[in-house]
Amino acid sequence: MPGEAVLDLASGAGEPALSAAKRVGPGGSVHGVDLVEAMLAGAIRRATAFDGPPPLFTVADMTALPFEDGSFDRVTCRFGIMFVPDTKACLAETVRVMRSHGKAAFMVWGPLADNTLFTELDQAVTEVLGEDPNHAIDPLFRFDQPGVLASLLEEAGLRNVTEQSLRPTARVPLDKPFWRASLDMLFAPRLASAPEGDRERINAAVASHFSGVAVEGVCPLHLHARIVSGEMP
Ligand SMILES: C[S@@+](CC[C@H](N)C(=O)[O-])C[C@H]1O[C@@H](n2cnc3c(N)ncnc32)[C@H](O)[C@@H]1O
């Protein structure tokens, strides 16, 4: 809403902070935080080209926020909270920095099986490297079931907690390496310890998997995400 103060947790390359800055307009403000400075480089670059008052971006851990109590009207977090082992600390900080009647919304992934991008990548990597004994991608889906994150929001003191399931299908051209950033991010530890030459085999396996699901050069990527939101008393 115009004029609001928004905090975006785990902003990464800048979304949804940059979109929020357009919505709050010149009378509002948006502050994005991320734990990893390198992740914010793209966000900061985009903010300098922003048409209007740009969002600010700061390196910070969302379990220990560098803001005064009651500083924000809204808190957003897209695909970030699942990376934080101490979810309760993150939600306690969210509640602390929000004003009375403020609103917080967290977007998380639904089940792995409902997300074509991740299932195909997982199968391709497993084909080349075998089963992952550490199940490194499991934490990404820790809030995939209805009610899990909602209960934690309620425990943290938020009211009127709601949950929305989103199931769009993205259609992406097969000839673009749309999968590369997700492969690098989700499977980084496995790729880093893989024997030399396996990276090429993984790339080939991934390309073959997406060719298998493509229709006339276009890959339908089914997505399942949840938005869990709540309000301050
Ligand atoms: C999948 S990215 C999401 C980025 C962006 N919100 C988006 O939707 O494109 C997850 C981000 O969470 C950040 N992150 C992980 N743990 C964090 C923490 N404790 N505090 C702040 N950010 C964290 C990572 O550095 C990464 O940039």
Side-chain angles (χ1 to χ4, degrees):
M1 297 262 287
E4 285 184 331
V6 178
L7 171 64
D8 184 40
L9 304 173
S11 288
E15 287 296 346
L18 290 153
S19 299
K22 287 184 192 141
R23 294 180 73 161
V24 300
S29 64
V30 178
H31 207 131
V33 297
D34 199 282
L35 188 62
V36 181
E37 188 169 14
M39 292 297 289
L40 287 178
I44 291 167
R45 197 173 50 250
R46 288 185 189 94
T48 54
F50 197 74
D51 182 19
L56 288 173
F57 290 102
T58 302
V59 175
D61 184 339
M62 58 177 153
T63 63
L65 292 168
F67 303 109
E68 299 285 319
D69 295 1
S71 302
F72 298 98
D73 302 298
R74 304 255 172 176
V75 172
T76 57
C77 182
R78 190 178 81 173
F79 302 132
I81 194 164
M82 56 280 254
F83 293 104
V84 180
D86 192 349
T87 313
K88 287 187 181 176
C90 169
L91 292 174
E93 279 294 84
T94 300
V95 165
R96 182 184 67 75
V97 300
M98 271 204 292
R99 296 179 181 144
S100 182
H101 304 298
K103 291 184 181 169
F106 295 84
M107 186 181 257
V108 294
W109 291 112
L112 170 64
D114 295 346
N115 286 286
T116 319
L117 178 64
F118 301 136
T119 48
E120 298 302 326
L121 287 176
D122 191 35
Q123 285 168 19
V125 172
T126 303
E127 263 169 37
V128 178
L129 298 182
E131 290 289 338
D132 178 5
N134 300 315
H135 303 283
I137 69 165
D138 288 0
L140 202 67
F141 302 97
R142 42 196 280 249
F143 302 121
D144 66 347
Q145 295 304 307
V148 178
L149 183 56
S151 302
L152 292 172
L153 262 62
E154 278 164 359
E155 270 177 43
L158 294 170
R159 303 281 178 264
N160 300 327
V161 173
T162 60
E163 188 162 313
Q164 191 187 352
S165 186
L166 304 174
R167 303 194 70 158
T169 297
R171 297 186 192 283
V172 295
L174 186 59
D175 60 359
K176 298 267 189 304
F178 57 86
W179 42 268
R180 198 174 295 278
S182 298
L183 177 67
D184 289 345
M185 196 178 74
L186 295 184
F187 298 91
R190 294 207 86 196
L191 298 180
S193 60
E196 214 172 305
D198 274 356
R199 180 59 201 242
E200 284 314 308
R201 292 172 57 214
I202 290 168
N203 286 350
V206 170
S208 150
H209 267 262
F210 287 115
S211 296
V213 292
V215 180
E216 293 176 1
V218 175
C219 238
L221 298 181
H222 304 297
L223 306 168
H224 187 178
R226 298 181 195 287
I227 299 177
V228 185
S229 33
E231 293 175 16
M232 288 288 284

